[in-house]
Amino acid sequence: MTEALLKVKNLHTEFRTEGGIVKAVDDVSFEVNAGEIFALVGESGCGKSVTALSIMGLIPNPPGEITSGSIEFDGVDLLSLPSREMRAIRGSRIGMIFQEPMSSLNPVLTIESQLAEPLKIHENLSGNVANDRAKELIDMVGIPDSATRMKQYPHELSGGQRQRIMIAMAMACSPQLLIADEATTALDVTIQAQILDLMQDVTSQTGASLLIITHNLGIVARYADRVGVMYAGKLREVSDASDLYAEPHHPYTVGLLQSVPRLDADKGSPLSPIAGEIPDLTDLPEGCAFNPRCEWAVDKCRIEQPTLEETKPGKQVACFEHETVALRV
Amino acid sequence: MWRYIVQRVLVSIPVVIMVGIITFTLVYVGPGDPAAIIAGDEATPEILEAIREDLGFNRSFPVQMGDWFWKLAHGDLGTSYFSRREITELITPRLQPTLSLGFQVVVLSTLIGISTGMLAAWKAGTRLDRNLMVLAVLGFATPGFWLAFLTIWVFAVNLGWFPVIGYSPIQDGLFSHLHSLFLPVMVNSILASAFISRITRSAMLEVLREDYIRTARAKGASEFSVFLRHAFRPSAIPVATVIGASIAGLATGFVLTETIFAIPGLGRMLVDAIVRRDYPIIQALLMVVAVVLIGVNLIVDILYAYIDPRIRY
Amino acid sequence: MSVASEPRTEWELAPPWSTRLKGMFGSTVKAAKRDVVLAVSITILLIGLFLAFFGPTLARTDYERTDPINRMQAPNTNHWFGTDNWGRDVFDRTIVGTRLSFLVGFSVTLISTVIGVGVALVISYFKILDAIMMRFVDGLLAFPTILLALALISLIGPSVGNVIIALSLTATAGKIRLVRGAVLSLRESTYVDAARAVGVPVPRILFLHVLPNIVSIIIVQATFTLASAILAEASLSFLGAGVPEYVPSWGNIIATGQGYIQVGFHISFFPGLFLTITVLAVVLIGDSVRDHLDPKLRGRLKTTAQQ
């Protein structure tokens, strides 16, 4: 077994708000191996994006703060790095793509200058060399007519093209890890697949790991090697992707899978969405945060919080009743 | 880009015409018989009639307005009731003090306003930020003519660093020129920069919350570069707007400061004309000021397009 | 059921604005309890209003009559702010001057707000009227307020009423442009579409759905108008285009003192201080009202307040 590229250990990230302290990420641990595609899934507000921003060191402080834990990247603890060294890693060894292609590119700077920027910052390339590289990057992400595109502004490009530019920018310095935070959510379904294929291609070419943050289980099934399921700031299940669909061990995972519309289901058979609502993060229920919505919940779940435990090789679940759950499905 | 500029120019034309109509109508419908003002207190009805005939006051409203516009279009601003001289001739010697004052104030207030606004945004939430913003609010609320009074009292009357009033033209030496304008420049700059500073700060803070700022940080850009390269230009649009607006404010400020500091500029000329009820001069100056301000707005519009490529179509 | 359901839908879309106004008032009072600056500003404004009403009653001297024996006295126990070149008590003239500032300020604010909002709402629904009106508004706004007011007053003569008319003209034009812009953008919004889709008539949409949403803009703008009208009145009086010299107005008194800067600094200093503090209070109230009323800003303020 190779050494993991990214090791997140007991990460706690909190936000101070008017309503109280929100534990957006609460004791999250997982590892991403070199060259693999790891997906973090969950509903909006479950803490998956905050986890990504914590890795990047981009938690807005205030109001947010990483209160404890460690994030080890290639043997270095990112949380203990001085900001200057963290900056040197951002954009060079870890690249990131964001959700909104419309607003993630600077509207007043040309594509060229935005693409060349990481090269100038991290590889000290001079203007012309960086611009030539930028042109190659546009070709790499499959946008035709790169010479014209270079001189254009973001508003002259389509959403899909902008996201390709974001990928080119994130991959400019050949990072070891690419983080895609809901990178395809705002795009049309047909474009989504193209963008995901592109991310898979560019990372596999350089051997980079890919961390996909998404709420879309379809994407997870199609692309991810391993999956972490998050709910209310905690990881509930970590599993091989194929195994997750075949044998979900956490009630929340089961609920998520059942709420996805399927083409192969009987016509007219109802979807079964998860009952209840996502809890208020400032006022979480006692015990397991999922217990009010869980059909398997027992008394213990309302008092004690389950921790993530290995149930079989390659599978970790945080549920007292996981054996029952596994049997039911 | 050119299409945009042409379009903005075309949009300004009806405004200029409207300004002309308002200016002319204002004086036309206003009470007071211009012939009586010209002739003085002891004029006989015959003399009044002769003046009306001579200057065309007995023609119909549209004809008079048409005539006024026609002359205006040919650079003829009319004749003063009082001195009977061409107004363009009267304005010419008044341009230097006002333009010099205007240039200095715009440059200085823009520099001070933007730099303090950015400093406040950079240090947002700190004591420095709060102090700068307290100063900005103070500058916004202080009446210019009172601030002028205070500065004269401190720097001219008590310290004697500057003359109490008076103007020294550029021809008499640049230093004495700048020296004579120093206090009025300062007073107007402080007031104008307060406004610019407030807007710069809030525009910067607004932009710093944008997604593309996060992207810049994700690229590993330094905070300095995030601030100057990524955040400043997008936030420059409201700043340009407010600089334009502050120039309009200067027109008012100059009327007051030129009066207080006895600077022989256009503002002073307007006040004198109002005291003498010299309507052609009032008309001409209103028109000149409005057209200059429409021009300033046009420049600001074109600056928008330069700042933000999305505006050029 | 269907009869009852319509108003309920509207209620959910946009609460009637009596409720909103009450909420705004309540939140302002609550804000004043937490915000010292706001509380102080409101207190200053209330003192100003008190002086505006009772200034002439409080005056201990005949503030219009000259008293040459006591002219140009520096501040002393008898004349707190000293006396002017005619021997009139500057303190009395200053507190009496409050009335004129507040009269002009509040009149201009009220007139321009009522007319401006009314005209803007009407023209936003009549395209031709809108086109004509906006050309006129653009023309008016091309002039600097005080310059236009100066010219106007030189024509119609200096009096309190004329000062109010002259200043209301440009203030109203400004209001029309602001409110019309807000109304037009609101008309595009989803909840107005929703109201229209369920068949709510246009005037009702304007009153129930559009107006409540621009109330905060109008209130903030009104404080701005109040501040600038008070400043403008003082400027006009200072230039001699306001009320006659013997009537106490802050601008008048400052103009008087201007001529005696070497020996009578106090004459201009005190009324100027009153003027500055009043305008400052109004501006600060406007700032906090904006911060507290604008829901978008509110969320942000909370996070920055946490810093």
Side-chain angles (χ1 to χ4, degrees):
Chain A
M1 180 101 191
T2 50
E3 179 74 347
L5 175 71
L6 178 76
K7 288 184 194 166
V8 177
K9 271 188 212 149
N10 307 103
L11 182 69
H12 290 77
T13 305
E14 297 178 349
F15 284 84
R16 272 156 303 178
T17 70
E18 189 92 326
I21 287 177
V22 170
K23 293 182 176 178
V25 176
D26 188 10
D27 201 22
V28 163
S29 307
F30 65 94
E31 296 182 355
V32 178
N33 298 320
E36 87 171 337
I37 299 182
F38 187 91
L40 269 182
V41 265
E43 292 162 283
S44 47
C46 70
K48 55 194 193 299
S49 289
V50 176
T51 307
L53 289 175
S54 301
I55 296 167
M56 284 300 273
L58 288 177
I59 293 293
N61 180 14
E65 197 187 355
I66 297 173
T67 49
S68 66
S70 71
I71 298 172
E72 217 173 273
F73 175 74
D74 205 12
V76 181
D77 183 15
L78 298 182
L79 296 183
S80 62
L81 282 185
S83 62
R84 171 187 277 279
E85 284 171 42
M86 188 60 215
R87 259 206 318 270
I89 288 179
R90 275 203 295 267
S92 113
R93 296 178 62 198
I94 308 178
M96 184 158 178
I97 306 162
F98 299 96
Q99 174 168 1
E100 287 296 332
M102 298 299 164
S103 56
S104 292
L105 288 168
N106 194 321
V108 305
L109 299 177
T110 58
I111 300 298
E112 179 177 50
S113 72
Q114 297 191 59
L115 263 180
E117 191 178 6
L119 296 163
K120 287 177 184 165
I121 297 172
H122 299 293
E123 303 190 353
N124 286 323
L125 295 186
S126 70
N128 284 336
V129 183
N131 290 347
D132 290 345
R133 274 280 292 143
K135 191 166 173 298
E136 288 169 31
L137 285 167
I138 297 180
D139 292 331
M140 176 191 84
V141 294
I143 298 179
D145 200 8
S146 52
T148 320
R149 294 298 180 200
M150 298 273 281
K151 304 293 175 200
Q152 286 184 319
Y153 291 92
H155 71 279
E156 294 171 89
L157 272 57
S158 71
Q161 285 172 329
R162 279 185 239 189
Q163 210 58 312
R164 285 172 191 269
I165 297 292
M166 285 296 291
I167 294 172
M169 214 154 71
M171 293 301 293
C173 302
S174 312
Q176 291 157 279
L177 173 66
L178 180 65
I179 303 176
D181 183 3
E182 298 275 13
T184 59
T185 307
L187 300 172
D188 286 343
V189 182
T190 46
I191 312 286
Q192 284 191 7
Q194 294 174 11
I195 296 294
L196 283 159
D197 286 343
L198 176 64
M199 288 194 295
Q200 196 179 27
D201 279 358
V202 291
T203 48
S204 67
Q205 274 167 27
T206 61
S209 307
L210 179 58
L211 174 58
I212 298 180
I213 313 285
T214 182
H215 64 272
N216 186 334
L217 285 167
I219 290 176
V220 177
R222 173 91 169 68
Y223 296 94
D225 299 322
R226 290 194 309 128
V227 192
V229 179
M230 280 187 83
Y231 182 80
K234 281 182 186 290
L235 264 179
R236 305 292 162 167
E237 180 163 0
V238 179
S239 165
D240 285 340
S242 51
D243 206 30
L244 185 84
Y245 291 83
E247 278 184 63
H249 280 188
H250 193 281
Y252 177 64
T253 317
V254 174
L256 269 186
L257 290 171
Q258 282 175 352
S259 60
V260 176
R262 297 173 66 99
L263 280 177
D264 57 0
D266 294 333
K267 215 174 190 177
S269 69
L271 281 177
S272 35
I274 305 174
E277 283 172 26
I278 302 173
D280 179 357
L281 286 177
T282 58
D283 188 21
L284 286 176
E286 270 307 286
C288 171
F290 189 63
N291 82 67
R293 303 172 76 181
C294 179
E295 54 182 291
W296 287 278
V298 294
D299 286 348
K300 194 182 181 189
C301 304
R302 297 183 186 95
I303 303 159
E304 227 179 291
Q305 295 205 27
T307 50
L308 210 56
E309 277 164 22
E310 187 150 44
T311 53
K312 65 181 212 181
K315 185 137 190 137
Q316 291 165 288
V317 182
C319 179
F320 297 124
E321 292 293 304
H322 65 83
E323 283 168 10
T324 330
V325 177
L327 285 175
R328 276 285 286 275
V329 175
Chain B
M1 184 75 178
W2 281 108
R3 239 186 80 190
Y4 172 80
I5 294 175
V6 170
Q7 188 218 348
R8 293 324 298 171
V9 172
L10 289 179
V11 167
S12 316
I13 291 173
V15 184
V16 173
I17 294 173
M18 198 64 215
V19 159
I21 294 175
I22 293 173
T23 309
F24 184 82
T25 314
L26 212 62
V27 174
Y28 184 86
V29 301
D33 181 359
I37 298 171
I38 297 169
D41 295 336
E42 285 155 34
T44 61
E46 290 77 35
I47 296 177
L48 290 180
E49 195 49 47
I51 293 174
R52 286 193 195 110
E53 184 67 34
D54 190 29
L55 295 176
F57 293 144
N58 49 5
R59 292 172 301 167
S60 69
F61 171 67
V63 174
Q64 285 193 45
M65 184 154 77
D67 185 49
W68 185 72
F69 264 112
W70 179 256
K71 284 182 177 158
L72 210 58
H74 291 79
D76 179 0
L77 290 171
T79 315
S80 158
Y81 285 168
F82 201 75
S83 66
R84 309 307 306 264
R85 286 172 63 198
E86 291 277 319
I87 293 173
T88 40
E89 219 176 279
L90 293 171
I91 283 182
T92 318
R94 301 276 189 159
L95 285 175
Q96 193 205 60
T98 302
L99 289 181
S100 172
L101 197 56
F103 176 76
Q104 293 183 54
V105 172
V106 171
V107 170
L108 205 62
S109 61
T110 304
L111 287 179
I112 298 175
I114 291 181
S115 53
T116 54
M118 289 185 72
L119 187 63
W122 176 258
K123 297 276 175 198
T126 65
R127 178 171 295 182
L128 178 69
D129 171 35
R130 275 195 297 276
N131 289 345
L132 280 174
M133 285 308 111
V134 166
L135 281 180
V137 175
L138 265 178
F140 185 66
T142 310
F145 57 95
W146 189 61
L147 187 63
F149 170 83
L150 292 182
T151 52
I152 292 176
W153 190 71
V154 173
F155 296 105
V157 174
N158 284 320
L159 296 172
W161 291 353
F162 302 95
V164 174
I165 51 168
Y167 172 74
S168 163
I170 300 179
Q171 298 87 307
D172 295 357
L174 188 63
F175 177 77
S176 66
H177 173 71
L178 295 178
H179 188 244
S180 73
L181 285 182
F182 185 82
L183 288 182
V185 165
M186 275 305 154
V187 168
N188 283 295
S189 302
I190 287 169
L191 300 185
S193 61
F195 209 11
I196 298 172
S197 177
R198 261 171 76 115
I199 300 292
T200 305
R201 174 183 180 271
S202 64
M204 286 295 291
L205 290 180
E206 186 90 13
V207 169
L208 285 171
R209 277 187 283 266
E210 294 283 348
D211 286 348
Y212 54 81
I213 297 300
R214 194 179 52 187
T215 307
R217 292 200 171 113
K219 278 193 258 188
S222 67
E223 278 307 295
F224 190 70
S225 150
V226 164
F227 214 71
L228 284 183
R229 193 175 129 83
H230 292 272
F232 178 62
R233 215 166 114 187
S235 64
I237 282 201
V239 176
T241 313
V242 78
I243 292 174
S246 74
I247 292 176
L250 287 185
T252 300
F254 285 2
V255 168
L256 291 159
T257 38
E258 287 183 6
T259 307
I260 298 168
F261 290 96
I263 297 164
L266 294 173
R268 184 70 191 280
M269 185 179 179
L270 180 68
V271 175
D272 291 344
I274 282 168
V275 172
R276 296 170 180 163
R277 314 188 97 198
D278 198 340
Y279 295 139
I281 293 189
I282 300 175
Q283 257 177 347
L285 287 179
L286 272 187
M287 196 66 207
V288 167
V289 170
V291 169
V292 166
L293 293 183
I294 291 169
V296 167
N297 280 333
L298 190 65
I299 294 173
V300 169
D301 277 352
I302 294 168
L303 264 180
Y304 285 173
Y306 171 75
I307 295 166
D308 189 338
R310 284 168 297 183
I311 293 174
R312 309 167 203 160
Y313 13 118
Chain C
M1 183 62 206
S2 67
V3 180
S5 71
E6 198 216 326
R8 214 188 131 225
T9 322
E10 274 184 44
W11 172 267
E12 283 163 2
L13 288 168
W17 59 290
S18 58
T19 317
R20 276 172 183 259
L21 278 179
K22 244 182 259 166
M24 284 171 184
F25 182 74
S27 67
T28 307
V29 171
K30 230 198 287 171
K33 281 183 189 157
R34 270 186 314 202
D35 185 344
V36 186
V37 176
L38 181 61
V40 171
S41 304
I42 291 176
T43 312
I44 290 172
L45 197 68
L46 290 177
I47 293 173
L49 276 171
F50 175 79
L51 289 178
F53 277 106
F54 300 108
T57 326
L58 292 173
R60 297 162 306 159
T61 59
D62 186 348
Y63 48 87
E64 288 187 5
R65 211 195 55 202
T66 58
D67 181 10
I69 303 161
N70 289 319
R71 67 189 294 273
M72 301 302 286
Q73 285 190 9
N76 55 51
T77 47
N78 215 358
H79 301 283
W80 294 347
F81 293 175
T83 59
D84 68 6
N85 54 322
W86 295 106
R88 296 171 300 197
D89 185 89
V90 176
F91 177 77
D92 282 353
R93 287 179 70 77
T94 303
I95 60 169
V96 173
T98 314
R99 171 173 284 191
L100 193 77
S101 285
F102 276 63
L103 179 67
V104 172
F106 280 100
S107 304
V108 171
T109 307
L110 194 69
I111 292 171
S112 65
T113 304
V114 171
I115 299 179
V117 173
V119 170
L121 285 179
V122 171
I123 65 171
S124 67
Y125 271 85
F126 299 97
K127 280 232 162 64
I128 299 171
L129 206 58
D130 179 71
I132 300 169
M133 199 66 204
M134 287 322 288
R135 292 294 79 71
F136 184 59
V137 165
D138 286 345
L140 276 182
L141 291 177
F143 299 101
T145 310
I146 291 184
L147 257 54
L148 192 63
L150 264 179
L152 214 60
I153 288 166
S154 79
L155 288 163
I156 57 181
S159 74
V160 181
N162 287 347
V163 169
I164 293 174
I165 292 172
L167 292 178
S168 296
L169 192 68
T170 38
T172 309
K175 288 275 185 357
I176 294 175
R177 184 188 271 178
L178 179 88
V179 176
R180 171 188 174 270
V183 171
L184 288 186
S185 69
L186 273 178
R187 277 179 57 184
E188 306 301 316
S189 64
T190 319
Y191 70 85
V192 169
D193 280 348
R196 217 180 284 168
V198 298
V200 184
V202 167
R204 210 177 152 76
I205 292 179
L206 279 183
F207 195 70
L208 258 176
H209 299 284
V210 174
L211 203 51
N213 282 288
I214 53 177
V215 162
S216 56
I217 303 177
I218 296 171
I219 292 179
V220 172
Q221 184 67 12
T223 61
F224 181 76
T225 309
L226 181 60
S228 43
I230 290 175
L231 267 180
E233 184 278 320
S235 306
L236 290 175
S237 297
F238 178 81
L239 289 169
V243 292
E245 200 276 335
Y246 59 88
V247 179
S249 131
W250 291 340
N252 273 349
I253 311 169
I254 297 171
T256 308
Q258 184 76 32
Y260 299 93
I261 189 167
Q262 318 255 9
V263 285
F265 173 73
H266 59 273
I267 305 174
S268 298
F269 178 75
F270 291 107
L273 196 62
F274 269 55
L275 176 59
T276 308
I277 289 173
T278 307
V279 174
L280 190 61
V282 176
V283 168
L284 289 174
I285 290 172
D287 271 10
S288 7
V289 170
R290 188 196 54 212
D291 293 349
H292 289 286
L293 288 192
D294 190 339
K296 270 182 265 165
L297 279 171
R298 208 182 295 161
R300 274 174 208 161
L301 274 179
K302 278 178 187 168
T303 44
T304 45
Q306 300 293 327
Q307 300 177 11

